Amino acid sequence: MEGGYTLVTAAQPLADNGLSPVGLSPVQLGPKEGLALVYGTVISAGAAALAMHEAHHLAVLHGGNFQARSLTSATEKTRSAIQTIGRMLFTQCTEIINPATSQGLPPNLVSEEPSSSFAMKAVDLMVAALQFGLGFLANRVDSHVQTAEMGNQALSSLALISARYTHTAVDVLSQLAAAQLLALCQALDLRLMMWRFLGEVSPGFMEETMALLKAMGVMDVMCQDQHLSDLWILFLARLEETVRMDAQPRFNSIAKSLIPYLIDLAHFPLPSAFDSPRQSLSSELFLEHIVSYNESLAAHCLNAHHLTRETYFSHHDATPFLGSASKRMYGYIRYTLKRKRKRASQGGEGRARRWVIT
């Protein structure tokens, strides 16, 4: 947002330039969204504002037969623009809820186990229903014009009907925007929780991996750093790929996915430029090291995950990572409206989960 800052690869550029590194630009609404009402004339924009905010004055215009036709056209253009804006909000909301497009966020933006928690499933259905409604309200009114007063009014404007539907469309768009803002706050909290998890798990990952590399005979510092970097990249990639899984099987799967790299490493000769010879390991001892590393890494990740989640449940706040404008919106939703993070609480044996606000 204008005037704020964003975090891009450890840098902090202005928010206006935050999308440039990935080839994107901020969304700006213009005439292509239908906001250029009736050739962009000032009178059309004024008529649209009159229709939306002072609809009771339209009775005067309606008495002039079809002179209010420009008002009908203006409000219909407004509804078309509202439907387009709603489509953008709907698409953005569904993309952050869907793990296939959210770049590492869990399905339905759950903060617990995906198999038993469905945090934003209702929001996903809600924004779809609201967008359906906007699509219906965007239909034209002037195609339903009929003669009136025994033919005296050969062409009526139907401006009152168009203004009423436009007012309804504004209400629906407001609900859609509110739902998307709630989902965005949940996504921000989950993203920050993931960053804190990586900070918690990284030292233990490096320590255990370094111990394994030394046990495998990799003594050169440059080789150790290279293998640590490669394994960490593999770990991060698998962390994003397994976002649909529950915590325990997820981290077991991630730890196992590193084994092929370690097996290749065991049979990869050192470059001749390095003088440090590699100590040979028997296959039995190598398997013992691999199994031990696999179990300890999975347990370490699981403990870090639970610790980070419970800590963030108690003290969650994403405002230090937001720009000035985004920070105000986040604070308004989280603290003024008291719409805190959602988490599921198990009601008992055999009972469905219930939602509580934390």
Side-chain angles (χ1 to χ4, degrees):
M1 291 187 175
E2 184 177 358
Y5 292 87
T6 184
L7 186 64
V8 180
T9 61
Q12 197 177 29
L14 288 173
D16 293 341
N17 304 325
L19 297 177
S20 301
V22 292
L24 299 177
S25 60
V27 176
Q28 295 182 354
L29 302 179
K32 65 185 179 65
E33 280 77 36
L35 297 180
L37 305 174
V38 189
Y39 309 111
T41 58
V42 177
I43 182 60
S44 300
L50 176 65
M52 294 172 60
H53 300 289
E54 299 182 23
H56 59 280
H57 291 164
L58 291 178
V60 178
L61 295 176
H62 182 70
N65 200 1
F66 59 87
Q67 282 99 347
R69 182 73 176 185
S70 62
L71 189 61
T72 306
S73 180
T75 52
E76 289 188 347
K77 282 284 188 178
T78 303
R79 287 202 310 280
S80 177
I82 290 174
Q83 194 268 345
T84 302
I85 296 171
R87 179 66 185 178
M88 289 189 290
L89 295 178
F90 166 74
T91 302
Q92 293 172 358
C93 187
T94 54
E95 282 182 351
I96 64 174
I97 294 177
N98 183 2
T101 56
S102 63
Q103 298 294 323
L105 291 175
N108 299 311
L109 299 181
V110 300
S111 54
E112 294 168 317
E113 304 297 349
S115 64
S116 56
S117 179
F118 309 93
M120 289 294 164
K121 175 63 71 176
V123 173
D124 192 12
L125 298 174
M126 175 184 175
V127 294
L130 293 174
Q131 182 58 29
F132 297 155
L134 286 179
F136 165 75
L137 293 171
N139 289 319
R140 298 181 63 85
V141 171
D142 56 3
S143 61
H144 301 279
V145 170
Q146 300 292 338
T147 59
E149 198 183 346
M150 293 183 295
N152 186 37
Q153 297 187 31
L155 182 61
S156 300
S157 64
L158 300 186
L160 284 169
I161 298 175
S162 183
R164 185 167 62 247
Y165 275 90
T166 303
H167 189 276
T168 302
V170 172
D171 290 339
V172 174
L173 180 64
S174 300
Q175 297 177 49
L176 180 56
Q180 194 221 14
L181 285 173
L182 184 63
L184 284 174
C185 289
Q186 181 84 352
L188 282 171
D189 287 328
L190 291 175
R191 191 72 76 184
L192 180 57
M193 190 169 67
M194 175 57 66
W195 288 345
R196 292 185 175 180
F197 164 76
L198 292 177
E200 184 73 24
V201 78
S202 176
F205 177 90
M206 298 299 177
E207 181 180 352
E208 294 180 7
T209 306
M210 180 65 73
L212 177 64
L213 292 176
K214 290 181 178 180
M216 294 172 61
V218 181
M219 298 300 179
D220 186 81
V221 176
M222 294 181 61
C223 288
Q224 290 175 353
D225 293 341
Q226 181 61 46
H227 295 317
L228 279 175
S229 177
D230 293 342
L231 288 169
W232 181 247
I233 292 174
L234 288 175
F235 177 84
L236 294 179
R238 285 295 296 163
L239 193 66
E240 182 174 332
E241 294 171 0
T242 57
V243 72
R244 295 178 175 87
M245 302 173 62
D246 290 347
Q248 185 167 358
R250 179 188 186 188
F251 295 123
N252 288 336
S253 175
I254 292 174
K256 291 179 181 178
S257 67
L258 304 180
I259 293 180
Y261 181 93
L262 296 172
I263 293 177
D264 292 340
L265 177 62
H267 299 284
F268 190 81
L270 282 173
S272 57
F274 300 113
D275 298 328
S276 302
R278 172 178 297 169
Q279 300 174 1
S280 60
L281 284 177
S282 64
S283 58
E284 294 81 4
L285 185 57
F286 173 74
L287 290 177
E288 289 180 4
H289 284 299
I290 291 295
V291 171
S292 177
Y293 173 77
N294 186 12
E295 294 176 350
S296 61
L297 179 60
H300 172 65
C301 292
L302 186 62
N303 293 333
H305 173 75
H306 289 322
L307 177 62
T308 305
R309 184 177 65 184
E310 294 305 320
T311 302
Y312 198 77
F313 271 138
S314 303
H315 309 283
H316 62 279
D317 184 16
T319 53
F321 298 87
L322 302 178
S324 58
S326 302
K327 184 183 300 184
R328 289 194 297 269
M329 184 61 69
Y330 180 90
Y332 177 75
I333 294 174
R334 287 298 193 216
Y335 306 121
T336 304
L337 299 181
K338 300 186 184 302
R339 293 296 182 262
K340 302 299 180 67
R341 292 183 62 222
K342 287 183 174 292
R343 64 180 300 183
S345 176
Q346 186 68 39
E349 185 69 25
R351 294 175 59 185
R353 284 178 173 261
R354 59 185 175 86
W355 290 109
V356 297
I357 303 297
T358 59

